[in-house]
Amino acid sequence: MQKENTYLSDIPTGEEAIITKVLGHGAFRKRITEMGFVKGKKVKVIKNAPFQDPVEYEIMGYKVSLRHSEAELVEVVSIEEAKNLSGISFQGTIDEETLKVSALKKGKIINVALVGNPNCGKTTLFNQSSGSHERVGNYSGVTVDAKVVEVAHQGYVFKLVDLPGTYSITEYSPEELYVRTHITEQKPDIIINVIDASNLERNLFLTTQLIDMNIKVVIALNMYDELKKTGVDFNHKALGKMIGIPIIPTVASKGKGVEKLFDKLIEVYEDRDATVRHIHINYGEVIEKAINEIQTEIWKSPRIRDKYSSRFIAVKLLETDRTTLQILEKYDNFEQIKTVAKQSIAKLEKEYKEKSETVITDAKYGFIDGALKETLRQPKPDKLKTKRDFDTVLTHKFWGFPIFLFFMWLMFQATFTLGSFPMSWIDSGVGALSDWLKNTMAEGALRDLIVDGIIGGVGGVIIFLPNILILFFFISFMEDTGYMARASFIMDKLMHKIGLHGKSFIPLVMGFGCNVPAIMATRTLENKKDRILTMIITPFMSCSARLPVYVLIISAIFPANQGIVLFSIYFFGILLAIITALIMKKIAFVKKEVPFVMELPPYRLPTLKNTSSHMWHKGKEYLKKMGNVILIASVIIWALGYFPRNISLSRNYDVEIANLKADNSIRNDLKAKLIMQTEIEKSSEIQEKTYIGRMGHAIEPILRPLGFDWKMGVSIISGLAAKEIVVSTMGILYQADENADENSETLKTKIKEQKHSSGVLQGQTVFTPLVSFGFMLFILIYFPCIAVIAAIRKEANWGWAIFTMVYTTVIAWLAAFATYQIGSLFI
């Protein structure tokens, strides 16, 4: 017999228990009950994370992780003791016989919103329906804003809106409020409620809320193939009739059932589907009485009744939903409604000895449980084989973290190894095109613009496209398989130590691809301080735009240890993010802990089509950027480096070159070397006296302690717009000393040969290993690109955006200074 007051945190790994009560209050209590932690549910302890916290549990057939401190708030009993528990039973449905009345004339445009839990395949269905290429990932919080597209079918035009994934439409997170506001304010004609067929019980919770809203709904029973493989016998048609919502099985990843889904949307829109009817979920006598009392007061205001479902409003008021109260404030009988709701809540809590929102959640799961008992039969236990065997290794408490680090290293190593071959082919093609144009076109400004400005700038960046594609392929693969969520599970303990939520890890990893969507993805974090702190350290995650700079410098200066050096740059960014978070936590982000509640989705084998499509979509974004931002910047930088043309030189280089050619006393090999050296000196002085050279020299005193020359300074300035422009700028500046075809060399060789043209370092090599590493650190850390600053301003405010500009640039200077000055003492 288990002792009294046993908590989930006391249950050993591998054992099961039955939930009796969820303690705590506020956001934690609401979220954990909505995830299925309600009275009478069985929960199993799977394993601890590599750092012993959080802990993985299984409930209602899916995995979820909680921190130890949160598990202490869930009271449980043994299986034997649970036999005498009595929960809220299934009460059936209250059927309103009348069908919805449609207008006599219907338009041919149907507004449809996709609503569903995170990781239910909603965005995959959106992409399959529209041919779009939105980000698809096997983890929570991929869609962070509404995506809209038009789809033509059977003479209709569907305006399809992909709303953010949400477990419910309460007020717990920005996504939930966004979805609810869209439904109540935009009033779509039909909702497609996308449901993960392998997680019916949990997914149907959101469906019960849509039922309360009294709107037209069609359920897309997605991933239906996975349900069939488990041997489950599910009568989805019977469930559809029971709840008044037609259910269409789909396999969105393969396009199966999508056409039937759109056919059904037309039938529902035209009121030709007999399944569709409005039902009321019977929550039980006590709750129904409370709902009716509030509805009676709401009905006194036709303005409320006409705009909102009175039943939905009443249920929300019983759930103590603050947003609903704010909505009602403008109506005349607000105080009366508020008073009745308060009295009804008091009666419920007295009756059930629970918080009213928990009572409603329990009742909804009671309805779902009863509905599934009538329509779903589980197979024999021996058929219920799980596909989660990978977790025994990938999230192992000892091996999980090393395996994660190995995956990260493998990603960076493959970026170089696999990318080197197509990279060299593109490089040769760009070089051949440049040579052909030089030989074809007449000398002049136009030829210089095309060869040195456009091809030298854009061509210097396009050769890194293979590296970008490989990086995005790995990130896509981790997302699609479900490993990204496991990475959050593994890292939560460390993230918690630095004051961040484990879910912050997903935006940070996304930052390796691009910082802009990563900053937008912080919306999945419920706590505002978590969101802002994650935003301001996300720029330390080295995005793909910086990768061309690393590839260029590492290939030229560190050819023997490319993978290790690249990994160290990324690792330094992560380390810097941790240190910054720790400092900011002490100074500006002291806060209450936010519970770690995150779904661990089942592993899924991604289709090559989806992963490749995602990879290529990001590649196209990279090419598109080269076609506008980088092209324009390259032309501007070329012009600044080309003008003015009437420059007074300190020496008559042409006379010196003519004299060298005429001097027969010098050996031919030495003569060629001296002529080349004189031509380089001439080109360098011309560059220094151009507009861009003057700009570089103006900031050189600031960069001189870092070992940088003025050309590096110009490259840094150009990178403020977009980090890819750093490479195109270097391509223009460092290739400018080419004179004849036979002397043409690659940019990597040019970089290795660069010498300081003035100052105490005159004549010394610019790109030493220390300077090169410091330069890469500077590019990693300093001023995020304009798009990132705009994203931070949008998600936070101008204050945090300006702060990010300043503090990252200061840290960048200090990091490069320390690398060069301290390193010079030893090397």
Side-chain angles (χ1 to χ4, degrees), residues 26 35 67 69 72 167 297 316 363 383-384 474 528 536 539 578 586 595 657 678 735 796 801 818:
M35 290 290 287
R67 294 192 188 123
S69 57
E72 291 177 343
Y167 293 106
E297 193 60 46
K316 284 295 158 194
K383 291 184 179 179
L384 293 173
F474 273 91
K528 184 179 179 181
I536 64 174
I578 292 171
K586 301 291 184 185
I657 291 170
T678 306
Q735 299 273 11

Side-chain angles (χ1 to χ4, degrees), residues 30-78:
K30 184 171 289 188
R31 168 55 66 223
I32 204 170
T33 54
E34 288 175 351
M35 290 290 287
F37 284 77
V38 294
K39 184 167 63 176
K41 292 300 176 187
K42 183 169 67 175
V43 60
K44 183 178 181 180
V45 185
I46 303 300
K47 73 163 94 54
N48 289 312
F51 294 97
Q52 304 304 307
D53 205 9
V55 182
E56 181 181 339
Y57 299 95
E58 181 174 1
I59 186 167
M60 295 197 308
Y62 70 99
K63 302 291 180 70
V64 69
S65 55
L66 299 176
R67 294 192 188 123
H68 190 79
S69 57
E70 278 109 44
E72 291 177 343
L73 298 175
V74 181
E75 192 173 310
V76 296
V77 295
S78 68

Side-chain angles (χ1 to χ4, degrees), residues 426 430 449-465 622-635 724-725 727-729 731-732:
I426 297 173
V430 171
L449 169 63
I450 294 173
V451 174
D452 298 328
I454 297 175
I455 297 177
V458 176
V461 178
I462 198 172
I463 64 171
F464 301 104
L465 178 62
Y622 182 73
L623 290 172
K624 196 183 295 181
K625 190 182 285 186
M626 284 191 292
N628 44 61
V629 176
I630 297 173
L631 175 61
I632 294 168
S634 296
V635 171
E724 298 97 332
I725 301 174
V727 171
S728 63
T729 304
I732 294 167

Side-chain angles (χ1 to χ4, degrees), residues 81 102 188 503 518 555 626 673 687 763 780 822:
E81 285 179 293
S102 61
K503 287 170 72 174
S555 300
M626 284 191 292
K673 188 174 182 181
Q687 267 196 335
L780 161 70
I822 297 175

Side-chain angles (χ1 to χ4, degrees), residues 300-367:
K300 293 179 182 178
S301 174
R303 291 173 60 204
I304 302 176
R305 191 181 63 220
D306 291 344
K307 190 169 184 180
Y308 305 102
S309 162
S310 61
R311 186 174 178 86
F312 176 73
I313 293 292
V315 171
K316 284 295 158 194
L317 289 173
L318 288 177
E319 292 176 337
T320 64
D321 188 275
R322 289 172 297 177
T323 303
T324 302
L325 285 171
Q326 291 170 7
I327 290 171
L328 298 177
E329 279 180 350
K330 60 185 178 182
Y331 298 103
D332 295 336
N333 60 337
F334 167 67
E335 288 299 331
Q336 291 90 330
I337 294 173
K338 185 178 177 182
T339 301
V340 172
K342 190 174 181 180
Q343 292 170 350
S344 299
I345 289 169
K347 291 176 186 176
L348 277 185
E349 293 183 347
K350 182 179 179 181
E351 175 72 23
Y352 290 101
K353 305 295 189 295
E354 287 275 12
K355 290 290 185 181
S356 58
E357 58 262 41
T358 303
V359 172
I360 298 293
T361 301
D362 286 352
K364 285 182 181 293
Y365 273 116
F367 168 78

Side-chain angles (χ1 to χ4, degrees), residues 29 38 58 85 100 140 188 210 319 385 392 416 424 434 480 489 494 548 728 774 793 795 803:
R29 186 187 185 88
V38 294
E58 181 174 1
L85 286 176
K100 291 183 178 180
S140 169
L210 296 174
E319 292 176 337
K385 294 182 179 179
T392 58
F416 270 108
S424 62
S434 180
D480 295 347
F489 176 74
L494 292 180
S728 63
R793 184 205 63 79
E795 298 300 321
F803 172 77

Side-chain angles (χ1 to χ4, degrees), residues 79-143:
I79 300 293
E80 286 298 316
E81 285 179 293
K83 289 180 179 178
N84 295 322
L85 286 176
S86 57
I88 298 174
S89 61
F90 173 60
Q91 302 291 330
T93 65
I94 305 171
D95 192 354
E96 294 180 0
E97 294 295 335
T98 57
L99 299 174
K100 291 183 178 180
V101 179
S102 61
L104 293 175
K105 292 183 179 180
K106 296 282 188 179
K108 288 292 183 179
I109 296 176
I110 305 177
N111 295 303
V112 180
L114 273 74
V115 176
N117 284 196
N119 194 45
C120 67
K122 183 171 52 61
T123 303
T124 304
L125 178 62
F126 179 82
N127 290 346
Q128 193 66 242
S129 304
S130 62
S132 182
H133 301 284
E134 295 302 334
R135 175 181 289 271
V136 176
N138 187 15
Y139 63 94
S140 169
V142 177
T143 307

Side-chain angles (χ1 to χ4, degrees), residues 206-333:
L206 177 57
T207 309
T208 63
Q209 295 179 318
L210 296 174
I211 290 172
D212 287 339
M213 296 184 83
N214 189 15
I215 50 180
K216 285 186 176 180
V217 179
V218 174
I219 289 176
L221 188 63
N222 199 30
M223 306 179 198
Y224 191 65
D225 54 340
E226 294 188 12
L227 180 71
K228 298 295 284 183
K229 286 177 185 177
T230 63
V232 169
D233 180 17
F234 178 45
N235 190 341
H236 64 272
K237 291 182 180 178
L239 178 64
K241 288 179 181 178
M242 185 186 299
I243 63 177
I245 298 174
I247 300 175
I248 306 298
T250 61
V251 183
S253 61
K254 299 176 182 177
K256 293 182 180 179
V258 176
E259 189 169 337
K260 288 183 179 179
L261 177 64
F262 279 87
D263 290 340
K264 183 58 67 176
L265 290 174
I266 293 173
E267 288 181 24
V268 171
Y269 182 68
E270 295 180 344
D271 291 320
R272 293 190 285 109
D273 189 287
T275 304
V276 178
R277 72 189 196 285
H278 179 52
I279 63 110
H280 287 166
I281 296 170
N282 190 340
Y283 292 119
E285 184 179 349
V286 178
I287 300 176
E288 287 297 330
K289 184 179 178 182
I291 292 173
N292 289 332
E293 287 172 351
I294 299 172
Q295 278 185 293
T296 301
E297 193 60 46
I298 291 173
W299 287 335
K300 293 179 182 178
S301 174
R303 291 173 60 204
I304 302 176
R305 191 181 63 220
D306 291 344
K307 190 169 184 180
Y308 305 102
S309 162
S310 61
R311 186 174 178 86
F312 176 73
I313 293 292
V315 171
K316 284 295 158 194
L317 289 173
L318 288 177
E319 292 176 337
T320 64
D321 188 275
R322 289 172 297 177
T323 303
T324 302
L325 285 171
Q326 291 170 7
I327 290 171
L328 298 177
E329 279 180 350
K330 60 185 178 182
Y331 298 103
D332 295 336
N333 60 337

